[in-house]
């Protein structure tokens, strides 16, 4: 960073505090202001990535992923604005919009689904779980949309769960009692001991894609994943392998005992209209066509 280098080169006795440059700060505050307007201006939208049973190829659910059509910068991925949403607290209203939109989409999937309708998996920030009315908000949205609670999964990342407190855990327990499921996202990246899985109020483990990448290359990685799978079985948890990009990775994930997977091999995240076509093509039915690499 230029500002940091400038501060360092100012020399002994002349230390200045590091500050982001004016242009950085201006850009950030502009982005923040625009993000604050995004819900009202209807420039946020969701894409949905299929979650697939590795044995049959059947789509069992979709993960909702947030995108922002910025008026000047074009289409932005969450990596470019989620941190800002977290820092500014905007993640709470934005997250509520995400939940409502994802639930409405899931209701439309029931019409197209020939077999059991797919669930929707929504990323939820610890800040949302911590806010006083989160459980009530989810309960109200379920009632308003008519989506059965069994068809929603709430994802929280391992790192956010680690940092967090009784309040988050209590919300997870209440939501599960109402029939919603909870997934731990990016599992394996947060430095938690495996035994920790036993304590969390949880239904699904989403194994981070670094493990999937390592499966083909390292014996130790394979042993580690097998260990995680054995433990999740014992705890009666489902496991979803993230970031499956190749047929080899699909087979390796299935061979270690992962029942479900998600990744570019099956599909990139899709606009809602394409999810309806995906289901109409029979991908949601128990005898879905076998997966073929693109
Ligand atoms: P995540 O929840 O782990 O979501 C999976 C990310 O991996 C998505 O990136 C997805 O597009 C990408 N991905 C899927 N398959 C593959 C693959 O085969 N290979 C590779 N390399 N990547 C794959 P995306 O959409 O950019 O989202 C990034 C992160 O932003 C998400 O990671 C999630 O943590 C966060 N996020 C997305 N939407 C929301 C939201 O509505 N609320 C909150 N709080 N966070 C969100
Ligand atoms: Mg996720
Ligand atoms: Mg993930
Ligand atoms: Mg991830």
């Amino acid at each position: 960073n230029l500002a940091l280098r400038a501060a360092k080169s100012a020399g002994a006795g002349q230390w200045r505090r590091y500050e982001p440059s004016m242009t950085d700060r201006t850009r950030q505050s502009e982005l923040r202001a625009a993000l604050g307007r995004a819900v009202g201006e209807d420039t946020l939208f969701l894409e949905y990535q299929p979650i697939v049973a590795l044995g049959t190829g059947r789509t069992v659910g979709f993960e909702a992923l947030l995108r922002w059509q910025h008026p000047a910068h074009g289409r932005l991925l969450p990596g470019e604005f989620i941190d800002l949403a977290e820092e500014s607290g905007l993640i709470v209203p934005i997250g509520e919009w995400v939940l409502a939109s994802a639930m409405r989409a899931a209701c439309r999937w029931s019409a197209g689904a020939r077999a059991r309708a797919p669930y929707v998996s929504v990323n939820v920030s610890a800040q949302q779980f911590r806010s006083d009315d989160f459980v009530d908000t989810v309960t109200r949205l379920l009632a308003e949309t008519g989506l059965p609670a069994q068809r929603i999964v709430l994802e929280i990342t391992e790192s956010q769960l680690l940092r967090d407190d009784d309040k988050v855990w209590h919300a997870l327990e209440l939501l599960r009692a109402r029939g919603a499921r909870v997934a731990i996202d990016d599992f394996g990246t947060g430095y938690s001991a495996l035994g920790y899985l036993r304590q969390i109020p949880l239904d699904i483990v989403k194994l981070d894609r670094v493990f999937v990448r390592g499966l083909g290359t390292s014996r130790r990685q394979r042993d580690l994943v097998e260990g995680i799978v054995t433990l999740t079985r014992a705890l009666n948890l489902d496991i979803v392998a993230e970031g499956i990009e190749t047929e080899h990775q699909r087979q390796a994930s299935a061979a270690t005992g992962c029942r479900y997977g998600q990744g570019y091999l099956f599909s990139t995240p899709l606009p809602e209209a394409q999810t309806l076509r995906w289901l109409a093509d029979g991908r949601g039915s128990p005898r879905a066509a076998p997966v073929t690499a693109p």
Side-chain angles (χ1 to χ4, degrees), residues 63 123 155 185 206 242:
E63 178 173 3
N123 295 286
E155 299 190 7
D185 200 1
K206 299 193 77 175
E242 295 190 295

Side-chain angles (χ1 to χ4, degrees), residues 63 123 155 157 184-187 206-209 242 262:
E63 178 173 3
N123 295 286
E155 299 190 7
T157 63
I184 187 162
D185 200 1
D186 302 343
F187 183 77
K206 299 193 77 175
L207 191 67
D208 193 78
R209 65 168 163 274
E242 295 190 295
Q262 183 179 348

Side-chain angles (χ1 to χ4, degrees), residues 40-64:
E41 290 176 349
D42 210 20
T43 51
L44 297 174
F45 64 102
L46 295 177
E47 289 188 323
Y48 300 90
Q49 188 176 35
I51 299 166
V52 168
L54 294 178
T56 62
R58 176 183 165 228
T59 295
V60 295
F62 291 92
E63 178 173 3

Side-chain angles (χ1 to χ4, degrees), residues 43-51 61-69 75-78 81 97-99 101-103 105-106 108-109 119-123 155 206 262 264 267-276:
T43 51
L44 297 174
F45 64 102
L46 295 177
E47 289 188 323
Y48 300 90
Q49 188 176 35
I51 299 166
F62 291 92
E63 178 173 3
L65 294 160
L66 184 59
R67 279 88 182 84
W68 180 20
Q69 185 66 46
R75 194 189 127 136
L76 302 182
L77 290 169
F81 62 88
W97 176 87
V98 169
L99 273 165
S101 309
M103 286 187 199
R108 291 186 280 266
W109 297 332
Y119 65 83
V120 69
S121 205
V122 179
N123 295 286
E155 299 190 7
K206 299 193 77 175
Q262 183 179 348
Y264 297 158
S267 174
T268 56
L270 303 170
E272 191 195 322
Q274 283 188 42
T275 62
L276 294 168

